[in-house]
Amino acid sequence: MATLMTRLREAEKLLVLCFATFMVMAGQGVVGPVLPLYARDFGVSTAVVGLTLTVFALARLILNVPAGLIADRFGRRILLVGGPILTSIGMFGSGFANNISSLLMWRFVAGAGSAFYMSGALIYLIDIAPVNRRARYIATNQWALSVGVALGPGVGGLVAERWGLAAPFHVVGVIGVASAIYAAFRLPETLRPRTDSEQATPSASEVKRIVYSGPFMAIAFVTGTIFMTRGGTRATLVPLHADGVLAWGPGEIGLVFTITGVMTLFTLWPATWATENLGWAPVIVFSGVAAALGTFVIASIGTPVWFVVGNVILTLGTGTAGPAPAAFVAELFPERLRGLGIGLYRSAGDVGFVLGPPALGWLSETASMPTAFRTAGCLVAAAAIWFFVSTRRNNDSVASKPLQ
């Protein structure tokens, strides 16, 4: 009975966190379809419109590590409550912006809120999850995240059509406040009091030993290239390739994105099963190789059928990369450095997300579209191979053993 009650309490914390994640990500999804139109109304160029996305991601990149340090020092709840509040402030400010400069400033604030909440949520998940079910907990939260992102844009479009382009930002502001209140009342602190031996500040040498170790450098490279593939290949090159080579319009491209988006939701659970039963290494290597293969198929064969097949393979790779890398990072860092580890891991992904689209876009213009695809494929495959070799070289049993 005691074991049953413990599991029920664990499940309640997981479901409460997932609902908070759903609210936060649905809120961010609400502004997706209207943000470029809203920014364009200030009379700026397309490049400046793109900055509204860049500054949001840049804020996350800059603040992931500080968020992790805050979690290690002051606890997880400050991020789970403070993150949505910061997001709310940024969204309300964006809705009332009267020029592009103020809009960019408030988008940075909203990005800071995203960095705080998402870092805090991942650390919290690792805290509450039994070691043998960490991948499952992370996958469940990613499912909630994906559903929120999928549903948000539809709501945002309807709100904008009825009440104007600024209205979705105000809606998200309200959702952010509601999420903060919900987290404050339903999510207890999980940072346990430190023992006397843990009170001392971690030495720089201890942190360097982990951060510069082969396994962490390899998983950071894997994460960066996977996010580069999601943002630079799938979100940037794939639509341009479909338009330029296949002469597809928004309808056909959107259908492929819908199919692969739904597919991503259903790749999480096989990836979780494989992580728990086969170990992290096979899943991480598979995700990198599959993503690379998908990019090569898209670049090499210019027919509609193979374009769809390539996107399916690509999604199989990027989708299965969800739970395993974060669970692996949790094993590399001791509990008192868990926030720092997650912050560094998330920053590695955001580096790929920020640099991938412009770098691959530039390569497609200066060389060719297939060259950009193949370059991305080579990088993500190299990352997977490096991870495999690095963990083997370091005799890292964590990476390869099944979870019991």
Side-chain angles (χ1 to χ4, degrees):
M1 180 61 72
T3 303
L4 177 61
M5 293 303 297
T6 299
R7 290 196 173 186
L8 288 175
R9 283 193 292 269
E10 290 174 356
E12 180 188 14
K13 290 179 183 177
L14 174 62
L15 293 175
V16 168
L17 181 70
C18 288
F19 184 69
T21 297
F22 168 78
M23 292 177 65
V24 169
M25 297 311 297
Q28 292 186 15
V30 163
V31 303
V34 303
L35 179 60
L37 304 178
Y38 184 67
R40 191 182 61 189
D41 278 356
F42 291 113
V44 297
S45 67
T46 302
V48 176
V49 170
L51 285 178
T52 60
L53 298 175
T54 301
V55 295
F56 186 92
L58 184 63
R60 297 198 333 176
L61 175 61
I62 293 172
L63 294 172
N64 283 328
V65 173
L69 295 173
I70 290 171
D72 284 338
R73 181 71 180 272
F74 300 106
R76 295 25 170 160
R77 273 168 51 87
I78 190 172
L79 300 181
L80 297 175
V81 176
I85 290 175
L86 270 178
T87 298
S88 180
I89 293 171
M91 291 299 181
F92 277 124
S94 298
F96 289 113
N98 53 17
N99 57 61
I100 191 64
S101 298
S102 61
L103 176 61
L104 292 174
M105 179 189 71
W106 290 119
R107 287 292 294 166
F108 187 92
V109 173
S114 175
F116 275 37
Y117 177 82
M118 295 309 297
S119 296
L122 185 51
I123 299 165
Y124 194 93
L125 280 171
I126 294 170
D127 286 344
I128 65 175
V131 174
N132 63 338
R133 294 203 295 274
R134 276 179 179 160
R136 192 178 311 180
Y137 277 48
I138 293 170
T140 303
N141 190 61
Q142 287 181 343
W143 176 278
L145 182 154
S146 299
V147 172
V149 169
L151 295 180
V155 175
L158 293 175
V159 169
E161 286 186 356
R162 186 171 181 84
W163 291 290
L165 292 176
F169 294 94
H170 301 147
V171 170
V172 177
V174 173
I175 292 175
V177 172
S179 301
I181 294 172
Y182 182 77
F185 283 98
R186 297 299 305 276
L187 294 174
E189 182 56 64
T190 56
L191 179 65
R192 64 178 179 82
R194 294 181 179 179
T195 63
D196 292 339
S197 62
E198 295 174 329
Q199 289 295 330
T201 302
S203 66
S205 61
E206 180 185 10
V207 174
K208 286 182 179 179
R209 178 180 58 81
I210 302 173
V211 172
Y212 292 124
S213 67
F216 181 77
M217 296 295 288
I219 197 63
F221 188 28
V222 167
T223 304
T225 55
I226 286 291
F227 274 73
M228 173 204 68
T229 303
R230 289 173 179 165
T233 304
R234 184 175 183 275
T236 305
L237 298 184
V238 165
L240 296 174
H241 182 77
D243 175 67
V245 175
L246 303 178
W248 279 10
E252 294 92 341
I253 298 171
L255 180 59
V256 172
F257 271 45
T258 299
I259 293 170
T260 54
V262 172
M263 180 181 166
T264 298
L265 294 176
F266 291 97
T267 59
L268 287 172
W269 304 118
T272 301
W273 179 90
T275 301
E276 293 179 348
N277 291 275
L278 303 177
W280 287 285
V283 177
I284 291 171
V285 172
F286 171 83
S287 67
V289 171
L293 178 60
T295 62
F296 273 93
V297 170
I298 295 171
S300 303
I301 307 175
T303 64
V305 171
W306 282 106
F307 175 79
V308 174
V309 170
N311 272 278
V312 168
I313 298 172
L314 174 62
T315 302
L316 187 62
T318 58
T320 53
F328 178 75
V329 170
E331 294 298 316
L332 294 179
F333 287 81
E335 185 177 350
R336 62 198 177 98
L337 293 175
R338 183 169 291 163
L340 173 62
I342 293 303
L344 290 168
Y345 159 75
R346 284 180 47 77
S347 290
D350 282 336
V351 167
F353 194 78
V354 170
L355 299 182
L360 292 177
W362 172 83
L363 189 59
S364 70
E365 291 180 348
T366 57
S368 67
M369 186 71 72
T371 299
F373 272 109
R374 293 185 183 113
T375 300
C378 288
L379 286 173
V380 73
I385 294 169
W386 182 21
F387 178 83
F388 178 81
V389 172
S390 176
T391 51
R392 291 289 185 238
R393 181 183 301 149
N394 286 270
N395 296 317
D396 195 337
S397 59
V398 170
S400 57
K401 70 181 181 181
L403 302 178
Q404 303 296 334

